Amino acid sequence: QAQLRESGGGSVRPGESLRLSCKPSGLGVNVYCMAWFRQAPGKERLGIATLAPDGRTGYSDSVTDRFVASRVGDENAFYLRMSSLKTEDTGIYFCAAHYPRFGNSCGPPSFVERDYDYWGQGTEVTVSS
């Protein structure tokens, strides 16, 4: 069974940085379309970043220019580097994946929760002063 496991969450102060990791098993980030979603306390889960096997990325307006989704070399891992963190970034961060639906392509970046078939359990990020 394919699994995703997030790590790297923690408590930080506004303006600080943090890197989250997603370590899949049973699927490869060189094949699947990947995404990070975030669920703030009491709020719905929203997509914030995507990464396709070809390296193309997409970001929600709330994190553009502050967050970077990436892979490193041939590692089967998916990262989210977060900088200039704000209190509004507090929440549970989830890694998600789906198999490409458009031939060899993931298509346009998808922030739609229903498009993703595989999910991690989430890692907590708390940004407070």
Side-chain angles (χ1 to χ4, degrees), residues 83-129:
S83 61
S84 300
L85 283 162
K86 306 173 180 179
T87 56
E88 305 95 284
D89 294 318
T90 294
I92 310 297
Y93 285 71
F94 297 88
C95 181
H98 74 81
Y99 196 81
R101 294 179 171 85
F102 306 97
N104 297 327
S105 175
C106 294
S110 173
F111 299 101
V112 179
E113 187 171 337
R114 66 183 298 181
D115 284 350
Y116 293 86
D117 304 307
Y118 304 100
W119 293 84
Q121 291 187 315
T123 185
E124 286 190 65
V125 173
T126 300
V127 185
S128 64
S129 58

Side-chain angles (χ1 to χ4, degrees), residues 44-103:
E44 64 183 332
R45 187 160 60 182
L46 301 174
I48 58 171
T50 64
L51 177 67
D54 64 6
R56 293 179 180 270
T57 58
Y59 300 96
S60 68
D61 290 342
S62 64
V63 307
T64 295
D65 297 327
R66 297 191 300 119
F67 291 12
V68 178
S70 66
R71 294 159 52 200
V72 177
D74 293 327
E75 286 186 282
N76 191 33
F78 175 43
Y79 299 98
L80 184 67
R81 187 171 71 252
M82 306 182 291
S83 61
S84 300
L85 283 162
K86 306 173 180 179
T87 56
E88 305 95 284
D89 294 318
T90 294
I92 310 297
Y93 285 71
F94 297 88
C95 181
H98 74 81
Y99 196 81
R101 294 179 171 85
F102 306 97

Side-chain angles (χ1 to χ4, degrees), residues 19-43:
R19 189 183 73 161
L20 306 182
S21 299
C22 172
K23 302 294 181 64
S25 62
L27 65 84
V29 299
N30 62 334
V31 174
Y32 280 71
C33 308
M34 309 297 298
W36 287 99
F37 282 72
R38 178 173 68 196
Q39 186 169 28
K43 305 296 180 62

